[in-house]
Amino acid sequence: MAVMLRLSFLTLFAGAAAYDELPQQKPHVLLVLADDYGWANLGVHRRGPAGTADLRQGQLEVHTPHLDALADEGILLDRHYAYKLCAPSRSALQSGRLAVHVNSRNIGVTSRNASDPVSGWAGIPRNMTGLAQKMRSAGYRTHMVGKWDAGMATPEHTPLGRGYETWIGYFQHANDYWRKNTVFQSTGEVDVCLNSFADFFMHNATYRGGVRDALSTSKECLADPASHPACYEEHAFKERALSVIRHHDTSVVDEPLFLFYAFHLLHTPLQVPKAYLRRIDHMLAESGADSIDTESRRLYAAMTLYMDEAVGEVVQELKSKGMWDNTLLIFLADNGGPVYLPGGGNNFPLKGGKYSDWEGGIRTNAFLSGGFVPAAKRGTAFSGVVSIADWYGTLCEIAGMDPTDRVAERANASLKERGLPHLHPVDSVAQWRFILNGTNARPDALHISENAVLRWPYKLVTGKQTYSRWTGPLYPNCTTLNEMIALNGPSYSDLKLFNQKVPLGQREEVEDRITWVQDCGSRGCLLDVSADPEERHDLANDSAHAEVLIELQNKLRQLNEQLFQPGRGPQVFEACEAAIANGGFYGPFVDAADWYSPVVKSPRQQLRDRALEATLRVASSRIVQWTMIPAAKKILPFIRKPWARRLDKCFKSGLSTLEGSPVMV
């Protein structure tokens, strides 16, 4: 079998151009995914002449020396596209389907539709084969650290169920970096469990359950976690990643390493050890730059520095272990930076941000690096269109595996009989040979979302698009905060209570104003993103592009007939019961009775659990939900202004006294 895989692997390169070094074995793979990473927050995208003081200041505020060096030593992916939201992008990455074919909604992980045992949950449907399952079948040792956000309801939905041998991380969109709980500041949502539990989980060969580390409950971490970097959630992820590398057995050449490192950074809440804030301040002072004038931008810059150094440490460990020369590093972001307050991201000079189909929302930071990249391709850029779903097929290509999902195919027969949504086949495009040869693997239409399609170089965007503006080189800034306080936005557009969206304005026109909506209508806005990457010129009314407009309108309608939109169901109390039983940690709640490691509880804890369960059962009842949701919708518009004042801070003089404090969603 090993000989056959090696022959298949060498055949992969037979059609590629000649390079100095042909690989003789499968590479180690380090797949790194940054969360909510702004285009302008990566140093390589800040290069170029600094013609103004703001451009120069912006360059000096971004400190990503390790990421920049890795991109310079590898292949910069200039046209890498993801979905506009976290969970759909991650579902696409792990399943090899475009988000529109697997999961195009940020649904709470406690959701369940009991009538659909395959797709009636948040995240990836139960019977789809995960990327790590393919890699494990190819002989890889598969490990993960960090954010999952691709389902939780059953054991099959977890990283373990998707093929990762070990994992430490969290299930949902975000949690608190210090306490690891799901406070409202993390996600902008209140779930059926009233956000009562921690979201910090691990599994390995001997344990499945919440992370009960002594450090998180130490006196130092409870009293002043921001002063102690070891209390930081990302520290635990980094240390685990380093341990995985140190303990990997390189003597077994047919079992290379596949490590998926999914940062929480740079998602809200904006939190970072105080030491990194001081370092950013010092770096700016040493360079002669001005201090950063808003708290959210300062926090985001410090968090970016932390992520950059964490990647640098992991790469150095691979080098020390002698693995780097045969490693493929894939660095990606799950969507563009959030430009609402207090997201802190900046996609300058691109238009828009997270939650929009403009380039700032879906064109993401991405590059390849490592010794596996052929020498002749290092220091180059690739301009072909790449989807985040394509890494499934690309890694199967490199590993010598067939990307076809036979499990999903078998499930479809039963689903058809029951009248349930069928599972789409893998539509990932294997990109490796195209990247090496510099040719576009996706010349045909790429279904971005139900409101957008890209057929290079033209993109059609339809409907109402939030965050439809361009940010400057220094963003967010004091003017951004003042406009927010004046109720002109940019406000967060996805506040939820029990999975129900809570609007920020009593009238639709107010909601549109404070979320910077541009309405392209059903006709759509037509852009040439090659000639006009900033999307400043709508070609929909240009007679010279009439045929292209009609072509893409028809194509989007055709593609939307294949949207995967199963009934995911409401949030259910069973998720709260499972969390209580598991010691106060979110986790699988269906078909999981014997899945967890045992939890020993004192009589006092059992009494507290019973009291909490009774409270949550009342609070999450349909009657209470029907009361709370309308009340929230009525109250929120009246508290927007005082709430807006808490979203950021403008430094009039000196530095904020809120170092490392959580900035609210």
Side-chain angles (χ1 to χ4, degrees):
M1 181 64 177
V3 174
M4 290 178 65
L5 283 174
R6 187 166 291 121
L7 288 172
S8 174
F9 180 64
L10 291 175
T11 303
L12 162 67
F13 298 92
Y19 293 98
D20 294 337
E21 301 170 345
L22 270 178
Q24 296 300 309
Q25 63 187 50
K26 289 177 290 189
H28 306 293
V29 177
L30 172 60
L31 176 58
V32 179
L33 185 63
D35 199 350
D36 286 6
Y37 194 10
W39 182 265
N41 302 112
L42 176 63
V44 296
H45 292 145
R46 287 284 192 169
R47 290 172 177 168
T52 67
D54 282 357
L55 286 170
R56 179 59 178 162
Q57 174 74 17
Q59 289 177 337
L60 295 174
E61 287 183 7
V62 177
H63 290 272
T64 54
H66 296 96
L67 295 176
D68 296 344
L70 289 166
D72 289 343
E73 296 164 2
I75 304 172
L76 184 67
L77 303 176
D78 192 49
R79 293 286 175 176
H80 185 271
Y81 288 93
Y83 197 73
K84 55 190 170 186
L85 298 175
C86 308
S89 285
R90 292 162 190 272
S91 297
L93 176 66
Q94 296 295 332
S95 72
R97 280 84 169 173
L98 299 176
V100 290
H101 293 160
V102 58
N103 175 29
S104 57
R105 297 287 186 270
N106 262 3
I107 300 296
V109 294
T110 58
S111 300
R112 182 188 185 188
N113 174 8
S115 66
D116 187 347
V118 174
S119 303
W121 334 81
I124 302 170
R126 204 170 184 176
N127 289 59
M128 285 186 178
T129 302
L131 170 60
Q133 289 170 287
K134 291 289 188 181
M135 298 298 279
R136 189 72 190 97
S137 295
Y140 277 82
R141 306 313 303 262
T142 56
H143 303 274
M144 179 184 170
V145 299
K147 175 175 175 176
W148 179 236
D149 203 14
M152 182 193 80
T154 74
E156 291 96 327
H157 284 94
T158 69
L160 177 63
R162 301 299 184 190
Y164 291 96
E165 297 176 79
T166 69
W167 171 57
I168 180 172
Y170 58 98
F171 285 107
Q172 303 186 59
H173 310 321
N175 61 2
D176 186 276
Y177 286 86
W178 308 117
R179 313 295 185 197
K180 288 79 172 179
N181 54 349
T182 53
V183 293
F184 182 72
Q185 294 93 324
S186 301
T187 62
E189 301 180 15
V190 176
D191 67 13
V192 69
C193 306
L194 303 185
N195 296 8
S196 300
F197 306 111
D199 189 2
F200 198 37
F201 204 91
M202 67 183 292
H203 70 70
N204 52 43
T206 60
Y207 180 78
R208 300 172 187 169
V211 179
R212 298 174 174 84
D213 62 309
L215 183 62
S216 295
T217 56
S218 66
K219 184 171 75 173
E220 293 80 9
C221 290
L222 292 176
D224 185 16
S227 295
H228 302 278
C231 304
Y232 200 43
E233 180 177 55
E234 289 289 359
H235 176 80
F237 296 161
K238 180 185 67 176
E239 289 302 308
R240 174 57 187 162
L242 295 173
S243 176
V244 166
I245 296 168
R246 291 188 192 114
H247 290 93
H248 180 72
D249 187 354
T250 56
S251 68
V252 185
V253 296
D254 288 330
E255 292 188 347
L257 173 65
F258 174 52
L259 173 59
F260 179 37
Y261 194 150
F263 281 95
H264 183 169
L265 297 163
L266 302 146
H267 198 292
T268 51
L270 302 185
Q271 297 170 322
V272 71
K274 292 178 181 179
Y276 282 82
L277 288 166
R278 290 191 289 267
R279 288 181 58 194
I280 282 290
D281 296 339
H282 179 73
M283 289 174 175
L284 289 171
E286 287 287 299
S287 66
D290 295 332
S291 58
I292 298 176
D293 64 2
T294 61
E295 179 146 60
S296 63
R297 196 166 92 239
R298 180 172 174 243
L299 285 163
Y300 197 98
M303 293 164 74
T304 304
L305 175 64
Y306 190 103
M307 180 175 68
D308 177 81
E309 293 192 344
V311 173
E313 286 189 52
V314 170
V315 168
Q316 184 56 52
E317 192 65 38
L318 287 166
K319 291 179 178 178
S320 298
K321 183 80 172 183
M323 298 168 63
W324 181 248
D325 288 345
N326 190 38
T327 290
L328 174 63
L329 165 62
I330 305 169
F331 182 92
L332 314 169
D334 62 349
N335 45 248
V339 297
Y340 50 78
L341 288 185
N346 188 3
N347 303 304
F348 174 81
L350 305 179
K351 181 179 182 179
K354 181 180 179 180
Y355 284 97
S356 80
D357 289 312
W358 306 116
E359 294 290 274
I362 60 174
R363 183 182 172 191
T364 73
N365 297 316
F367 62 81
L368 306 177
S369 197
F372 185 72
V373 175
K377 301 302 295 183
R378 297 173 192 170
T380 65
F382 178 65
S383 58
V385 174
V386 181
S387 165
I388 194 168
D390 291 342
W391 298 108
Y392 187 102
T394 302
L395 289 175
C396 283
E397 178 185 32
I398 289 172
M401 290 295 295
D402 180 358
T404 305
D405 191 345
R406 305 297 182 192
V407 175
E409 288 181 350
R410 289 192 293 271
N412 277 336
S414 173
L415 292 172
K416 183 177 180 179
E417 291 177 0
R418 301 178 63 178
L420 294 172
H422 83 282
L423 304 181
H424 283 258
V426 170
D427 44 22
S428 178
V429 173
Q431 289 271 358
W432 185 246
R433 283 182 288 181
F434 292 95
I435 293 172
L436 294 187
N437 287 319
T439 54
N440 185 8
R442 284 191 173 273
D444 299 325
L446 173 62
H447 198 182
I448 298 292
S449 77
E450 63 183 297
N451 293 110
V453 62
L454 172 70
R455 199 268 292 150
W456 184 258
Y458 295 103
K459 184 170 78 170
L460 181 70
V461 177
T462 66
K464 287 190 172 184
Q465 296 286 331
T466 54
Y467 312 118
S468 298
R469 297 192 188 177
W470 295 270
T471 58
L474 301 179
Y475 183 91
N477 50 56
C478 291
T479 300
T480 315
L481 178 57
N482 290 336
E483 285 296 299
M484 182 73 177
I485 293 171
L487 304 183
N488 292 319
S491 297
Y492 182 60
S493 66
D494 202 25
L495 296 176
K496 291 178 182 174
L497 183 59
F498 308 127
N499 250 1
Q500 297 294 313
K501 184 174 179 178
V502 180
L504 296 170
Q506 289 184 313
R507 301 188 311 277
E508 187 176 359
E509 59 268 26
V510 174
E511 180 89 3
D512 289 351
R513 186 186 75 243
I514 63 180
T515 56
W516 292 357
V517 163
Q518 176 183 341
D519 191 355
C520 289
S522 59
R523 185 166 184 261
C525 299
L526 180 65
L527 300 311
D528 181 342
V529 293
S530 177
D532 178 27
E534 297 178 25
E535 298 178 298
R536 294 183 180 272
H537 307 289
D538 182 4
L539 304 175
N541 294 317
D542 182 353
S543 60
H545 293 87
E547 291 185 5
V548 175
L549 177 64
I550 294 172
E551 173 203 340
L552 292 186
Q553 288 171 337
N554 291 335
K555 191 64 178 179
L556 182 58
R557 279 193 291 269
Q558 175 189 342
L559 292 171
N560 280 345
E561 293 176 359
Q562 299 299 317
L563 287 174
F564 182 69
Q565 295 180 328
R568 306 281 184 171
Q571 296 187 350
V572 296
F573 188 71
E574 293 95 312
C576 313
E577 293 177 306
I580 292 172
N582 186 38
F585 293 88
Y586 285 100
F589 55 92
V590 175
D591 298 335
D594 300 320
W595 187 75
Y596 290 99
S597 295
V599 177
V600 178
K601 298 182 181 181
S602 67
R604 177 177 295 182
Q605 182 60 54
Q606 293 176 38
L607 286 173
R608 285 199 295 261
D609 286 351
R610 284 196 288 270
L612 176 60
E613 181 177 350
T615 301
L616 292 180
R617 191 175 293 279
V618 172
S620 64
S621 67
R622 291 297 174 86
I623 295 176
V624 173
Q625 288 187 28
W626 290 339
T627 303
M628 292 178 64
I629 293 172
K633 291 180 178 179
K634 289 182 179 179
I635 293 171
L636 187 58
F638 295 100
I639 64 172
R640 287 199 313 266
K641 182 168 286 191
W643 186 37
R645 295 182 184 277
R646 299 183 60 190
L647 296 180
D648 205 347
K649 183 171 183 177
C650 178
F651 301 130
K652 298 299 183 182
S653 62
L655 296 177
S656 167
T657 58
L658 301 175
E659 288 184 326
S661 64
V663 179
M664 292 184 65
V665 170

